[in-house]
Amino acid sequence: MQEILELINGMSPYLLLGFLLAGLMHSFIPGKYLTRHLSSPDFRSVLKAAAIGIPLPLCSCGVIPTAMSLRKEGASKGAVTSFLIATPQTGVDSILATYSLMGPAFAFVRPLAALVASLAGGGLVNWLASERRARLAPAVPGGEEEEGEAKPCAHATRHGSLRSKMQEALRYAFVEMMQDIGKWLAIGILVAGVITIAVPDDVSDVFRGSTTASMLLVLAISIPMYLCATGSIPIAVALMLKGLTPGAAMVLLMAGPACNMASILVVRKVLGMRTLCVYLTSIIVCSVAFGCLIDWMHFGGMANFLPLSAAGGGCCEETAGWFQWACTILLAALLVHALAFPHGSHDSCTCCCHEGEPHNARTYHVVGMTCHHCCRAVENALEALPTIEEAHADLHNACVTVEGDATEEEVRQAVESLGFGWEDGER
């Protein structure tokens, strides 16, 4: 129990600051800023996608519909691939949490590794698709092939005064984000505590100093499973304290959040097998390369480069002060609220046949929505259709209600273009 409290006390101030910065980014960055810079199939769009994705606090599930929306609105395959690789690995919240538990070296190398992997993957995808650029070029600049005159995103236009933007930032940071990643953050902390308490110390003899064995183990575990960028940090710390090499911990921090079965299946379906192979290869190769670099620096006499490896990272060795405890209590209260009341603004829709529902409103079941970003992506994709007046996604009931004259087939195609599943018939 003491180990878990030390982890939480070390992370809580940085997590709260990270959530706040994420909310400010969400509220003040225009909704169409992304696609405006990602349409050209060249290296500049790949670089911009990586630069935009690295600080964004999107989880591994939320990044999928966001990336598919970018593709639908005209972003190049390379830019979408770069965004998919860079975004789930880092974020302002996870970077600050990494600094708090693992020190400045990991906090610097982690986004750098995400940048290199995303540039390699996105650049290679655009290079392989070079023979198609001449055919795509006329359609991309104006976006006419994909979207036509798309409506502006709802969340990009509903903000008015500075006060309303700040309210939206706080709601997003401490309600929506907590609901989206709170469960995974709590699981990560609990798993770290279990590893620290239950795993015997002598198990470290199997992996101590063995970069290859540690990395192969981490890759086998992390690629198919879901790991949140922030929730993976305490797990990596606990494994390092049990003897896993620092390089293997870096592999976990990179491959865990970026690869899971959901993202693999969606990339295969929407972007194709060739893009999927590039996507996986770039993540695996770069994570192993940066892991080897860190282990080389550590075992090569630069142990001070990774202060955590000495025994637990200086941030957790000192007795927690009143400020850390206050942050921990606040974080715990927000997590309890998120887990006990998991429904947010997107659940106030007209699903389930509420009285007074417009006569042209229809409700359909959507498979795969797991967070508020998923709901927002579905709403934006549907509201971009000229035959739909308004769309409301309900995360709790896994459905979407649309108002307008759109056919079921139009709604289905818009939903499936984001990578979500569909059940025929109205609810």
Side-chain angles (χ1 to χ4, degrees), residues 4-14 101 315-316 320-321 324-329:
I4 297 178
L5 288 177
E6 289 179 352
L7 287 173
I8 298 175
N9 281 330
M11 292 176 64
S12 57
Y14 296 91
L101 285 186
C315 64
C316 294
Q324 287 179 303
W325 277 109
C327 292
T328 297
I329 293 172

Side-chain angles (χ1 to χ4, degrees), residues 5 7 9 38 73-74 88 101 104 107 150-151 158 229 232 236 260 276 297 317 325 334 336 354 370 389 404 426:
L5 288 177
L7 287 173
N9 281 330
L38 306 182
E73 293 180 9
L101 285 186
K151 298 178 182 179
R158 66 188 176 195
S232 64
N260 59 71
L276 174 62
M297 299 179 74
E317 293 177 354
W325 277 109
L334 292 171
V336 169
H354 290 176
T370 58
E389 300 172 5
E426 298 182 28

